[in-house]
Amino acid sequence: MTATLDIDLVRTFHAVARIGKFNAAAQLLHKSPAAVSVHIQRLEAVAGGRLFNRDNQAVSLTTLGKRLLLATTELLRTHDRVLADLQGTRLAGRITLGVPDEYADHVIRDILPTFASAWPNVVLELKTAPSYALRDLVQRDKLQAAVVTQPKGEPDAQAQVLVSTTPVWVGPAQTAIASMEPLPLAVHAAQCPYRQAMIESLRQRGRKTRIVLESPSNQAVKACVEAGLAISLIDRARVTPSMRILDDLPAIADHEVVFVRSQASYADEAVDLLGRALQQHFRL
């Protein structure tokens, strides 16, 4: 019998590949870790080899896994777009969505066009701001939904986890800046979880610091680091060639990117579908 690709297996594979951990992918997919393992085993049987290298900390793609990820990314998007077309072109409404600027490019370019094509009668209105400001707007019903960053494991039963992030300390690629006293910092706006993690961890280490840049803009923080003016904390996936990771500074616990929504939006089918689209396609 000719082998076929089960779209549910492909979706599980993408979740594990994106997050890098079986247990976290299981939580994202609302499946048991055992079910996720079975899905990967069944897909490996079809693919003809191992898709992941595994250790106690995380998993990484094999060469075959990388090929499959590349080959099935558009397949998964097309499947979801066709299904959306068949199920609900009559859906209409308006969604106000907040996104931090560090994730805005990905959301705007890679996720929202497909969503807008599938649901042409749903009007999208976007706002960019730091996570803490977006969360406040959602809680006050000024936004229907938002993508925000928070410490991993923060109690929020209604938040949909999109992806786990690993914050790392970074400095300029060519300058030994981490030994300076006081340590120059580029920090995000007040109440940003990364800023709070930076200040607290260095305070516990007894390091003296000075703030070179304070900005709600992730791009400004990155530019300050790349210019050799300061160090900062960013997602590991967003380290640029002009930066280097500083391993001798305090380790920072993983964070999460989550989808949160206002109480009033829980009866809104369009917001349900947007949350599902973000959960399926969000990546770092």
Side-chain angles (χ1 to χ4, degrees):
M1 183 175 67
T2 303
T4 59
L5 280 176
D6 184 321
I7 202 70
D8 200 30
L9 305 186
V10 173
R11 196 180 307 284
T12 298
F13 165 69
H14 275 250
V16 176
R18 186 170 71 247
I19 297 174
K21 295 179 181 179
F22 272 67
N23 286 344
Q27 293 176 7
L28 174 67
L29 297 167
H30 305 292
K31 300 180 184 296
S32 68
V36 169
S37 294
V38 169
H39 277 204
I40 298 303
Q41 291 169 6
R42 288 171 57 190
L43 191 59
E44 286 177 336
V46 174
R50 295 185 66 85
L51 299 174
F52 293 104
N53 299 307
R54 315 183 194 196
D55 60 35
N56 292 331
Q57 300 299 319
V59 298
S60 60
L61 288 166
T62 63
T63 300
L64 179 61
K66 291 176 182 178
R67 284 174 49 203
L68 184 64
L69 185 69
L70 182 63
T72 55
T73 296
E74 187 56 35
L75 169 67
L76 196 57
R77 289 178 182 171
T78 300
H79 169 274
D80 291 346
R81 184 168 58 247
V82 170
L83 189 61
D85 287 340
L86 293 174
Q87 290 183 338
T89 55
R90 297 182 302 278
L91 185 70
R94 171 178 167 269
I95 302 175
T96 53
L97 174 69
V99 186
D101 72 339
E102 62 263 43
Y103 307 126
D105 183 72
H106 167 47
V107 171
I108 291 170
R109 290 178 182 272
D110 303 327
I111 299 176
L112 296 187
T114 300
F115 181 86
S117 176
W119 313 104
N121 295 322
V122 175
V123 177
L124 290 168
E125 297 179 6
L126 304 181
K127 179 180 180 63
T128 61
S131 289
Y132 75 90
L134 294 175
R135 185 185 290 276
D136 178 67
L137 290 171
V138 169
Q139 290 173 345
R140 293 191 292 117
D141 285 331
K142 301 296 184 182
L143 286 174
Q144 289 168 282
V147 174
V148 301
T149 303
Q150 65 183 26
K152 192 168 186 178
E154 187 168 289
D156 188 348
Q158 296 179 325
Q160 293 176 247
V161 177
L162 303 180
V163 69
S164 293
T165 71
T166 300
V168 292
W169 294 94
V170 290
Q174 303 301 324
T175 305
I177 199 172
S179 60
M180 292 183 179
E181 287 286 346
L183 188 62
L185 302 180
V187 300
H188 300 80
Q191 300 181 45
C192 169
Y194 278 15
R195 175 190 175 125
Q196 294 174 342
M198 290 172 66
I199 300 299
E200 180 62 21
S201 64
L202 291 172
R203 184 191 66 78
Q204 291 179 359
R205 183 70 70 89
R207 293 295 301 267
K208 295 181 179 179
T209 62
R210 64 184 178 91
I211 295 178
V212 174
L213 171 73
E214 179 180 10
S215 174
S217 168
N218 190 66
Q219 295 304 316
V221 170
K222 290 171 66 176
C224 190
V225 172
E226 292 176 336
L229 301 177
I231 70 167
S232 194
L233 193 70
I234 68 171
D235 295 338
R236 180 180 290 275
R238 298 186 177 276
V239 176
T240 72
S242 299
M243 301 174 181
R244 65 187 180 92
I245 296 174
L246 307 174
D247 293 321
D248 54 345
L249 290 172
I252 304 297
D254 283 357
H255 283 55
E256 297 172 325
V257 182
V258 301
F259 179 71
V260 296
R261 50 197 295 183
S262 67
Q263 288 296 324
S265 75
Y266 278 93
D268 192 323
E269 183 183 359
V271 179
D272 290 344
L273 292 167
L274 178 60
R276 194 178 308 161
L278 286 164
Q279 198 168 45
Q280 290 172 353
H281 302 300
F282 194 92
R283 57 178 171 75
L284 291 175

